[in-house]
Amino acid sequence: NDKIVSTIVTKTEKPSTVVASKSEVAAINHANWTALLQKNVSKSGLVNYKGFQKDSKAVTAYLNELSANVPTKSTSRNATLAYWINAYNAYTVKLIIDNYPTKSIKDINDPWGKKFIVLAGKNYSLEGIENEILRKMDEPRIHFAINCASVSCPNLLNEAFTDAKLEQQLKAVSKSFINDKTKNTITANKIEVSKIFDWFAADFKTKGSVIDFLNQFSTTKINSNAQVNFKEYNWG
């Protein structure tokens, strides 16, 4: 009897193991993007665009991976968020290296509105990914994860966002950006913060005020009636 039970268990376990490994192979893990980022982006967020240009074939290969693995309705929320954050960042890098050298992303013709992104045969723009996909997922921290290739932007993380690490990564980039004294000046009674908090104010007010949001990550406690000003944005 023991032998019979053992045989039945073994037979029923094998198919599920095969299915799991197939789904793992099919899912994009963004490892190739991490490899490119770690090679060409410093821990402080400085981007080596000349390096990315030299690695343009690898960049294109990763973009092809993205095109072959567009999220579906059955894709988890975290995996979907990670996919579109990485897609936004990778295509921003692609835009810059295709137009490099350039002093500013704003010197490129219609950088955010142009539908130069093709994923699974569908055309997208950077602003389309940001406004029609990412912002509609009710996750304001995406604003510290996506990078617009400019000095005043949140730093480009030197690893890909992933399903498994997303929450940890979003917390880290939010804390890093908000407490970066080159991006925001925060005291208890007066703050001068990034224009991101002005442009996308509605995203940060879903559970209170912008100050309430900032206080989730700020190492300096901000008073609720603190004076709020916005810094000039450096697009260099």
Side-chain angles (χ1 to χ4, degrees), residues 193-207:
V193 290
S194 169
K195 287 285 284 183
I196 288 171
F197 295 105
D198 182 23
W199 295 328
F200 304 105
D203 296 4
F204 300 110
K205 290 179 178 178
T206 56
K207 295 177 181 176

Side-chain angles (χ1 to χ4, degrees), residues 14-32:
K14 279 183 180 176
S16 64
T17 305
V18 172
V19 170
S21 63
K22 277 184 179 176
S23 69
E24 284 166 16
V25 170
I28 185 170
N29 63 14
H30 304 290
N32 290 330

Side-chain angles (χ1 to χ4, degrees), residues 1-12:
N1 284 348
D2 287 347
K3 286 181 181 178
I4 292 169
V5 171
S6 176
T7 305
I8 291 169
V9 169
T10 305
K11 282 183 177 178
T12 55

